[in-house]
Amino acid sequence: KWKKGSFSSSLEKEIIFLCEVLDFLNYFYYVDSKPLVADGLYDSLFNRLKQIDVENTHKVPAYAPIFRVGSSIVGDRETFKHEVPMISLNNSKELEGVEKFNERVEKSVGKGFSFIGELKLDGVGFSLKYEGGLLTRALSRGDGAIGEDITANVKTIKNVPLKIKTKKSVLVRGEIVIKNSFFKEMNDNRARLGKKIRSNPRNTVAGALRTKDPSHTAKIPLFAFFYDIPIFGEEVLNTHSESMDVLKKMGFYVDSNRVLGSKEQIEEYYKKILKMRSEIDVDCDGVVVKVNEKEYRDVLGSTSHHPRWALALKFPANKTLTEIENIEWQLGRTGILTPVAKLKPIDLGGVKVSNASLHNYSLFKSLNLAPGDTVEVQRAGDVIPQVVGKVVNSGNDFFKYPKVWN
């Protein structure tokens, strides 16, 4: 229909059509991971909308997909008070605190409640405000009471809706991450180009959101998970499960890997996620357990620091800091030299670690390692522990790749 020039007599209708179709295709591509059309057709639609904007100033609405990347931020960022404070969660080491948490909830509200368990992602928390269906402001978590305006940066994230199908005043919350597969690919490319590799996904996300040039943010493959909707007009959403359904219907990405049930089901869920942790393509450092029913959340209330109706169950650390004592070179059967770091022993995910791979020469060279350096070491599943970044430079002479192997 569009290719046949059906909108030749009405530019306004063509603009509306292009905006709606591009939003529809973006949802399936970035949220559902199901591309509906070939890249060529998508590009034709996108480029046509850009052409209309160039030829007809102010005709294309501000929420159009072509405006995800805006102009640079000049001066200091504005800060705003959160409408609903973004207080942190109380933590429990592994499953130690579940029993007491269950007892406290039961003591306050009886036995009619249910728990919901979700992934605890190691990303950067943020909130989005929509008025009249349009994204008006994005705030960082900040200190929980006041956040920085990161609207221009967040608009570049492909799975963040710029427009939603409700005119209600809506406040949503989520976590911004980089998928591990993308992060690895990005660092491999940087190492090959001789650039300094990025230390970890979370710091990379934080840096991308703080840069004053949104075009730099757009180059980082950021992804948003959504987990809460504190304000939905005047309507009260009775359960967390209902909130998740509403978010999904409005076009927000909601992770389906969650469980609803009893304390025992939460414990089983925790064990399952811990076991499959290395298969999840984002940094997941635990499970969040919440009371599902809003009426019971209201009874339980919050302290000045954390809600009494939620608890974060942390996984054993699979990343930690330690010091390099030495570097040795191993010669593989194929004749390839691989540098191996000898470390001050550490505990990673319940395993004692004293050696870590430095992957390959490109990465080794980009890190410029020396004995005495403090490094971040990661262990995922049964993979050999790896040095993924340098935190403190000892000032000692760098190790060099041997020119001749005897």
Side-chain angles (χ1 to χ4, degrees):
K1 183 178 180 181
W2 173 73
K3 282 186 174 181
K4 291 178 180 178
S6 302
F7 298 103
S8 56
S9 61
S10 176
L11 189 64
E12 287 77 13
K13 286 183 179 179
E14 183 179 9
I15 290 170
I16 293 169
F17 168 81
L18 289 169
C19 288
E20 289 182 349
V21 170
L22 286 167
D23 281 341
F24 180 78
L25 295 176
N26 281 340
Y27 175 83
F28 279 94
Y29 188 91
Y30 293 107
V31 178
D32 265 10
S33 299
K34 297 174 183 174
L36 298 183
V37 298
D39 290 348
L41 177 55
Y42 180 91
D43 291 343
S44 297
L45 295 162
F46 191 88
N47 291 335
R48 171 57 182 156
L49 192 57
K50 285 176 70 175
Q51 180 190 359
I52 292 173
D53 181 58
V54 170
E55 295 173 354
N56 303 269
T57 309
H58 305 309
K59 285 278 188 181
V60 179
Y63 61 79
I66 61 171
F67 296 132
R68 283 194 177 273
V69 181
S71 57
S72 297
I73 299 162
V74 179
D76 294 332
R77 288 179 184 272
E78 286 190 87
T79 57
F80 295 91
K81 184 177 180 181
H82 289 294
E83 288 185 66
V84 180
M86 292 186 72
I87 55 180
S88 56
L89 296 178
N90 202 15
N91 289 328
S92 167
K93 184 181 177 183
E94 302 175 48
L95 287 170
E96 290 177 2
V98 176
E99 188 66 45
K100 286 185 179 179
F101 178 60
N102 184 69
E103 287 173 3
R104 284 197 300 271
V105 173
E106 201 170 276
K107 186 177 179 180
S108 298
V109 303
K111 295 188 176 183
F113 65 91
S114 58
F115 285 135
I116 195 154
E118 300 173 328
L119 302 182
K120 182 180 181 301
L121 303 179
D122 188 16
V124 174
F126 75 118
S127 67
L128 300 178
K129 186 63 187 288
Y130 292 82
E131 296 285 0
L134 301 179
L135 174 61
T136 57
R137 183 174 294 151
L139 293 181
S140 65
R141 181 182 176 275
D143 64 2
I146 295 172
E148 284 189 328
D149 187 343
I150 53 173
T151 310
N153 306 80
V154 167
K155 279 185 172 182
T156 69
I157 303 174
K158 298 295 195 298
N159 77 317
V160 169
L162 303 181
K163 182 183 180 185
I164 56 177
K165 291 183 178 179
T166 178
K167 298 298 182 183
K168 295 177 181 179
S169 177
V170 176
L171 179 68
V172 303
R173 287 181 179 162
E175 197 90 359
I176 300 173
V177 301
I178 295 178
K179 293 186 178 182
N180 290 329
S181 53
F182 290 136
F183 183 73
K184 182 181 182 304
E185 182 181 335
M186 187 167 57
N187 260 349
D188 287 346
N189 289 335
R190 292 179 70 85
R192 276 194 293 271
L193 295 171
K195 294 182 179 180
K196 183 180 178 182
I197 67 164
R198 301 182 187 274
S199 57
N200 58 60
R202 191 183 189 284
N203 287 356
T204 303
V205 173
L209 294 174
R210 285 195 60 84
T211 180
K212 291 187 175 183
D213 187 348
S215 67
H216 291 322
T217 310
K219 295 173 185 176
I220 308 294
L222 302 180
F223 192 84
F225 287 75
F226 294 91
Y227 60 79
D228 195 14
I229 178 166
I231 297 175
F232 189 56
E234 300 298 318
E235 189 174 341
V236 175
L237 302 175
N238 294 317
T239 65
H240 186 72
S241 301
E242 183 183 1
S243 296
M244 295 301 96
D245 290 341
V246 169
L247 280 172
K248 192 170 182 180
K249 285 176 183 175
M250 287 193 295
F252 295 96
Y253 181 83
V254 176
D255 189 65
S256 59
N257 198 343
R258 59 184 189 271
V259 67
L260 174 67
S262 63
K263 173 181 77 74
E264 290 73 23
Q265 287 169 298
I266 293 295
E267 289 171 336
E268 287 304 311
Y269 175 73
Y270 175 93
K271 293 172 186 174
K272 183 187 89 169
I273 299 300
L274 177 58
K275 191 174 180 180
M276 62 179 286
R277 180 184 187 182
S278 61
E279 301 169 23
I280 300 171
D281 199 22
V282 292
D283 277 356
C284 174
D285 59 356
V287 163
V288 177
V289 53
K290 306 172 183 177
V291 173
N292 187 42
E293 296 79 12
K294 187 180 184 303
E295 61 174 310
Y296 295 140
R297 291 186 180 189
D298 292 342
V299 172
L300 290 160
S302 302
T303 70
S304 58
H305 303 292
H306 62 267
R308 294 191 180 93
W309 44 263
L311 181 68
L313 308 175
K314 300 279 283 190
F315 288 152
N318 73 342
K319 283 184 183 179
T320 193
L321 303 182
T322 189
E323 188 177 306
I324 291 182
E325 294 183 332
N326 197 9
I327 290 179
E328 296 180 356
W329 298 93
Q330 291 183 352
L331 182 63
R333 284 179 293 180
T334 58
I336 295 175
L337 282 174
T338 303
V340 176
K342 299 295 180 179
L343 310 169
K344 280 190 175 178
I346 47 173
D347 187 292
L348 271 184
V351 177
K352 216 68 168 174
V353 172
S354 57
N355 297 328
S357 169
L358 294 169
H359 313 289
N360 54 55
Y361 175 61
S362 296
L363 179 66
F364 171 73
K365 185 180 178 183
S366 68
L367 288 173
N368 285 328
L369 296 173
D373 286 351
T374 299
V375 293
E376 184 176 38
V377 182
Q378 172 179 285
R379 180 178 181 272
D382 296 325
V383 176
I384 298 169
Q386 299 172 335
V387 172
V388 293
K390 180 160 67 174
V391 179
V392 178
N393 190 339
S394 64
N396 295 326
D397 291 339
F398 301 143
F399 277 88
K400 295 181 179 178
Y401 202 94
K403 294 180 179 178
V404 179
W405 183 270
N406 293 318

